[in-house]
Amino acid sequence: MKKIRLIAMIMLSMMATAGYSQIQLGLQAGPQFPLDDFSSGYNTGFGLNASARYMVTEDVAAGLNIGYNHFGTDYDDFSSSLMPITLFADYSLSTNVIRPYLGFDLGLYNFSWKFKIGNTVSKDSELHFGIAPKAGIGYSLNDNMELTGELKWNYVMGDNGNDIDWFGFNIGILYSL
């Protein structure tokens, strides 16, 4: 009987440690600021990002980001966008109501552009590898919802040294299922 109690207690303790494991969905938006060579041809853009995350532990999350970042130019007939599809990991520095965190994204970025000359419209796109270190803060509104703010540096490795990078400031909502 003592063995059954011991096994039951061990099983219950394992279940208790998995109690904080949860799935969260997020949506963020904000201005995107081109850097270096990318800033010489493009203006400040706008970004939208959706994420799904799984809390591996109480302070570590892993997940998937899908985004859309649009950048204009000084020319009305030319624009571009970058669509990141990345895996990410975040580490929370605190699990309190105010939760600062650090993270890292890694994945593919689809760079597409469109320009118009007369009545002819030309479009093209390329797929590149990129990374995005980030720092953010979350503020718990209730048990299921968190307000987030994030600073993210996106670095996309282009062909022949034509790298693309920009700095994004995003705010959003994170919802726990």
Side-chain angles (χ1 to χ4, degrees), residues 30-47 69-82 111 164-167:
Q32 310 297 307
F33 305 97
L35 299 172
D36 297 330
D37 291 339
F38 192 50
S39 68
S40 65
Y42 295 92
N43 300 328
T44 299
F46 181 77
N69 300 283
H70 179 78
F71 296 94
T73 65
D74 292 334
Y75 307 102
D76 292 336
D77 298 336
F78 186 78
S79 65
S80 69
S81 64
L82 284 122
F111 177 54
I164 301 166
D165 61 332
W166 73 94
F167 182 71

Side-chain angles (χ1 to χ4, degrees), residues 107-161:
L108 297 174
Y109 288 71
N110 183 35
F111 177 54
S112 61
W113 60 94
K114 177 173 89 172
F115 60 91
K116 181 179 177 184
I117 299 174
N119 291 330
T120 304
V121 176
S122 295
K123 299 189 246 186
D124 203 358
S125 66
E126 297 175 348
L127 199 58
H128 298 285
F129 180 77
I131 59 172
K134 60 186 172 182
I137 192 162
Y139 176 74
S140 181
L141 299 172
N142 59 40
D143 288 341
N144 294 334
M145 198 167 296
E146 185 175 291
L147 182 64
T148 61
E150 186 174 271
L151 301 173
K152 184 188 283 191
W153 174 58
N154 293 272
Y155 180 75
V156 181
M157 298 165 205
D159 295 333
N160 301 323

Side-chain angles (χ1 to χ4, degrees), residues 21-120:
S21 298
Q22 58 186 327
I23 295 173
Q24 298 174 329
L25 302 175
L27 188 62
Q28 292 185 325
Q32 310 297 307
F33 305 97
L35 299 172
D36 297 330
D37 291 339
F38 192 50
S39 68
S40 65
Y42 295 92
N43 300 328
T44 299
F46 181 77
L48 182 63
N49 192 41
S51 63
R53 62 183 3 193
Y54 176 74
M55 296 302 298
V56 178
T57 67
E58 197 170 275
D59 53 0
V60 175
L64 174 72
N65 276 328
I66 298 173
Y68 177 79
N69 300 283
H70 179 78
F71 296 94
T73 65
D74 292 334
Y75 307 102
D76 292 336
D77 298 336
F78 186 78
S79 65
S80 69
S81 64
L82 284 122
M83 294 178 62
I85 301 171
T86 60
L87 298 175
F88 72 88
D90 289 347
Y91 176 73
S92 296
L93 303 172
S94 169
T95 57
N96 297 327
V97 173
I98 297 176
R99 181 186 61 85
Y101 63 91
L102 299 172
F104 192 81
D105 290 22
L106 176 72
L108 297 174
Y109 288 71
N110 183 35
F111 177 54
S112 61
W113 60 94
K114 177 173 89 172
F115 60 91
K116 181 179 177 184
I117 299 174
N119 291 330
T120 304

Side-chain angles (χ1 to χ4, degrees), residues 6-17:
L6 181 61
I7 291 171
M9 288 179 65
I10 291 171
M11 297 286 284
L12 287 173
S13 69
M14 287 180 177
M15 290 171 58
T17 59

